[in-house]
Amino acid sequence: TQDAQDAQMTSLALKIKAGGATASAAVIDAMGDWEPFNAFGVVEGTAIKTRDSEDGAMLSAGINLSLSSGVLTPSDKTTVPYERVVVDGRTPEDVSEGILKDIVEKSKGKGRENIGVITIVGFSGVGKGTTVAKLKSSLVSLRSDTNPDRVLCWSNGNIFRSLTVLTSLYMQSKNLENVEEVISGEGSEELKKELMGCLSFEINDSTGEFDTHIVGFGVDYWVKDIETTVLKGPLVSGKIPTVARSTQGEVVKFVCAAVKKLTTVSNFDVIVEGRAETVDYVESDYRYEMVMEDDGVIGIRRAAQRVA
């Protein structure tokens, strides 16, 4: 009947408005039998696999470069294996609850106020971002202080962007144009040391919060103040893939030091989410790899996200 159809459409609209996994599931439920939608899912899935493959190759090349230059050593790579978390047919809430249960079990008897570092890896489309957000909320309940400000999600993206800003400022000061030659050519090892020397991870006195401080080449920035402006502006545009490829090891070292300061000195809990190529070098007793055994679902999920 018309009333039933109207009720269905209203329900669908409300679920899409809710966003996230709820919206995607609603779109899949409504359009899953429609061939053009499934074909769109195949296209999206192929694009994701291609991009993941390219990203993996770039990250591996960057890590190998850092190993060959001595910035990283084979012994820096953690030996703690990942727990494999299959996400097929599961909601982010269910996946998060499963990971949390394992963390609680592993943390028994450690006698610490905080959990410490949790690492989560996986390819695009497996739901890392949504799961991490759910896990962050759940971790607060495990803390004796139940302080949500003491549980953080770490992303390397802003560190690479910060280095790219500094590289651009250096190039401007020297009237240089070829970022590949600057960051990878002759003299680049000393330059990268200089660039990393411009970054520190400390408490911003004006906010009372930890943040990355950028000081050098005529600028004095806190990352949280510029993450939606300078770090996404013309100083970064077009250069970040080249800079990121050449500074993988340097950024891994920076991240490890920052996370250690947060978890051992200030008793934070930190979730580090990303690709295994780099997260392999972040020490943690709680390591999880999210996998989807049915590759086709990834494309359908992404198609649903685009429709929603």
Side-chain angles (χ1 to χ4, degrees):
T1 67
Q2 186 62 46
D3 287 345
Q5 289 179 345
D6 289 346
Q8 252 185 339
M9 292 303 295
T10 300
S11 175
L12 177 60
L14 288 172
K15 289 176 180 177
I16 290 176
K17 187 176 180 180
T22 300
S24 297
V27 171
I28 293 170
D29 186 50
M31 303 180 70
D33 293 330
W34 191 38
E35 187 54 40
F37 175 73
N38 289 316
F40 183 34
V42 172
V43 172
E44 288 293 310
T46 301
I48 289 171
K49 287 181 184 178
T50 300
R51 188 166 60 250
D52 270 340
S53 178
E54 291 172 349
D55 288 348
M58 184 194 74
L59 290 170
S60 294
I63 291 295
N64 288 335
L65 177 64
S66 297
L67 289 168
S68 64
S69 65
V71 174
L72 292 176
T73 66
S75 63
D76 289 326
K77 189 172 183 177
T78 183
T79 57
V80 179
Y82 290 102
E83 295 285 344
R84 194 168 183 266
V85 181
V86 178
V87 303
D88 299 57
R90 301 171 67 188
T91 65
E93 290 83 1
D94 181 41
V95 174
S96 172
E97 287 172 10
I99 292 174
L100 185 69
K101 183 178 179 181
D102 189 72
I103 290 170
V104 170
E105 188 64 31
K106 285 190 168 96
S107 66
K108 287 179 180 177
K110 290 187 181 290
R112 293 184 56 178
E113 293 181 17
N114 64 328
I115 296 297
V117 184
I118 299 159
T119 58
I120 297 181
V121 302
F123 291 121
S124 300
V126 297
K128 293 193 304 295
T130 309
T131 299
V132 165
K134 300 289 184 185
L135 183 61
K136 178 185 177 184
S137 298
S138 299
L139 283 171
V140 174
S141 65
L142 295 184
R143 297 184 59 87
S144 58
D145 57 14
T146 62
N147 185 347
D149 294 330
R150 310 290 283 188
V151 182
L152 301 178
C153 298
W154 183 278
S155 171
N156 293 344
N158 281 340
I159 308 303
F160 286 119
R161 289 180 179 276
S162 299
L163 282 175
T164 305
V165 165
L166 290 166
T167 301
S168 293
L169 292 171
Y170 169 80
M171 291 171 65
Q172 288 178 2
S173 71
K174 302 292 184 181
N175 293 317
L176 301 173
E177 295 184 358
N178 190 322
V179 65
E180 179 73 44
E181 290 181 2
V182 168
I183 204 68
S184 301
E186 185 178 351
S188 61
E189 294 306 315
E190 288 304 313
L191 173 61
K192 284 188 278 188
K193 289 178 184 177
E194 183 178 0
L195 297 176
M196 292 305 302
C198 297
L199 300 181
S200 60
F201 188 73
E202 56 193 274
I203 292 178
N204 181 344
D205 290 336
S206 66
T207 65
E209 298 178 351
F210 275 103
D211 197 2
T212 300
H213 199 187
I214 309 170
V215 180
F217 300 104
V219 301
D220 186 339
Y221 293 136
W222 292 94
V223 161
K224 288 179 183 176
D225 293 336
I226 62 167
E227 60 185 347
T228 61
T229 54
V230 176
L231 294 188
K232 293 189 177 179
L235 290 173
V236 173
S237 180
K239 297 186 183 73
I240 190 168
T242 304
V243 173
R245 184 174 63 249
S246 296
T247 58
Q248 291 289 330
E250 286 82 1
V251 169
V252 165
K253 289 286 192 180
F254 183 88
V255 172
C256 289
V259 167
K260 185 175 182 179
K261 181 182 289 188
L262 283 167
T263 57
T264 62
V265 178
S266 300
N267 288 327
F268 278 74
D269 291 313
V270 181
I271 305 172
V272 180
E273 174 241 319
R275 290 288 297 265
E277 288 86 353
T278 53
V279 178
D280 282 353
Y281 291 84
V282 179
E283 285 293 335
S284 171
D285 291 330
Y286 311 97
R287 309 177 68 78
Y288 303 94
E289 180 186 19
M290 293 175 60
V291 297
M292 186 169 288
E293 294 182 333
D294 183 354
D295 290 345
V297 175
I298 292 176
I300 290 295
R301 275 188 177 182
R302 184 57 54 88
Q305 288 168 356
R306 292 194 179 280
V307 171

